[in-house]
Amino acid sequence: MSLDANAEQTLAKWHKMVAARDLSRVGSLCTPDAVFRSPVAFAPYKGAPLVAQFLQQAMLVFEEFAYHRTFTAGDHSVVLEFSARVGDKTLRGIDMIRFDAGGRITEFEVMVRPASGLQALGAEMARRMGPILAAKQT
Amino acid sequence: MSLDANAEQTLAKWHKMVAARDLSRVGSLCTPDAVFRSPVAFAPYKGAPLVAQFLQQAMLVFEEFAYHRTFTAGDHSVVLEFSARVGDKTLRGIDMIRFDAGGRITEFEVMVRPASGLQALGAEMARRMGPILAAKQT
């Protein structure tokens, strides 16, 4: 029940990017058809560029972001527990990440609690992602 | 990184109770001072009886409840991925459970997505837990 070596390598790169607060190359960790499942919306956002934009904007929104426990399921799935602050709201959450055989990210799902934290995060993400999503549709 | 035998045994009992949809004895799986961290409220609810009531009520609220992947961190923590329906809202979530050395539950944290599912769950839980919490305070 320990992570595949390729996935482990991707996860190490992810942690390095987060520590440096520089996610400019995060798209390179994802498969082209990777999906992002937001804590707010039901429908997934598809494609590495969009996954990257969500992660980049979220990183700008979160303050005092810190990872805690790392959970693994089989050799291709992890859950990373985190805490963060958005404005005056403290929140706890998880990144649930699935990797393909080559170690690239195929699915990045985020959940947070409590409701007040989700609301603050959702409002801030809508403000930032709204123009990006609107531009994509035109 | 596999679960301690005592915790494994508790987890097996939990799955059996959930499968039977009978959580009447779930309090016996918890330490007396166990805490429940709800997806809605920030402050934890303390004590095995209250943890049990939250889990029992949640089980009544969730329809088509199903567990999927099981993630472990060290030998005393698991994340159970689930999907469920509340009214006409589909939701995905996790139970993040921490066990003590004897295998009893010390912490049960729940997160769900998306926002519409959290809202439906929160409204239904408030309706059910409101009178229980009010009675405790008098």
Side-chain angles (χ1 to χ4, degrees):
Chain A
M1 296 272 284
S2 81
L3 209 55
D4 167 270
N6 290 328
E8 196 71 73
Q9 206 163 44
T10 301
L11 191 59
K13 285 181 191 164
W14 166 253
H15 279 301
K16 212 166 178 173
M17 290 177 183
V18 171
R21 292 189 76 85
D22 177 5
L23 300 191
S24 56
R25 292 183 47 75
V26 74
S28 69
L29 304 183
C30 304
T31 58
D33 58 350
V35 300
F36 179 78
R37 297 184 193 278
S38 121
V40 179
F42 183 75
Y45 296 97
K46 295 180 185 173
L50 201 47
V51 174
Q53 282 174 307
F54 268 97
L55 296 174
Q56 287 156 3
Q57 292 301 322
M59 190 49 55
L60 295 173
V61 171
F62 287 134
E63 297 168 84
E64 296 165 23
F65 184 88
Y67 276 127
H68 305 290
R69 288 171 290 179
T70 297
F71 298 76
T72 58
D75 48 6
H76 289 96
S77 297
V78 294
V79 166
L80 309 177
E81 178 190 31
F82 67 82
S83 58
R85 191 166 56 74
V86 176
D88 61 348
K89 304 297 180 191
T90 300
L91 48 81
R92 302 188 62 85
I94 56 126
D95 291 334
M96 186 178 277
I97 309 172
R98 206 191 285 262
F99 304 89
D100 72 359
R104 284 189 304 175
I105 294 170
T106 60
E107 201 180 337
F108 201 112
E109 185 167 6
V110 182
M111 300 183 195
V112 301
R113 61 171 286 277
S116 60
L118 173 62
Q119 201 165 21
L121 174 64
E124 195 53 41
M125 286 298 288
R127 195 177 69 74
R128 291 165 173 270
M129 290 302 296
I132 294 171
L133 294 171
K136 266 183 66 83
Q137 284 171 348
T138 54
Chain B
M1 296 269 282
S2 80
L3 208 55
D4 167 270
N6 290 329
E8 196 69 74
Q9 205 164 45
T10 300
L11 190 59
K13 284 182 191 165
W14 165 254
H15 279 301
K16 211 166 176 173
M17 289 177 183
V18 171
R21 293 189 76 84
D22 176 4
L23 300 190
S24 56
R25 292 181 49 76
V26 75
S28 68
L29 303 182
C30 303
T31 59
D33 57 350
V35 299
F36 179 78
R37 298 185 192 276
S38 121
V40 179
F42 184 74
Y45 297 97
K46 294 181 185 173
L50 201 47
V51 174
Q53 282 174 308
F54 267 97
L55 296 174
Q56 286 156 2
Q57 293 301 322
M59 189 49 55
L60 295 173
V61 171
F62 287 135
E63 297 168 84
E64 296 166 24
F65 184 88
Y67 276 127
H68 305 289
R69 288 172 290 180
T70 298
F71 298 76
T72 58
D75 48 5
H76 289 96
S77 297
V78 294
V79 165
L80 310 177
E81 178 191 31
F82 67 81
S83 58
R85 191 166 56 73
V86 176
D88 62 346
K89 303 298 179 194
T90 300
L91 46 82
R92 302 187 63 84
I94 56 125
D95 292 334
M96 187 179 275
I97 310 171
R98 204 191 286 261
F99 303 89
D100 71 2
R104 283 189 304 174
I105 294 169
T106 60
E107 202 180 336
F108 201 111
E109 185 167 5
V110 182
M111 300 182 194
V112 301
R113 62 172 286 277
S116 60
L118 174 62
Q119 201 166 20
L121 175 63
E124 195 54 39
M125 286 298 288
R127 196 177 67 76
R128 291 165 173 270
M129 290 302 297
I132 293 171
L133 294 170
K136 266 183 66 86
Q137 284 170 348
T138 55

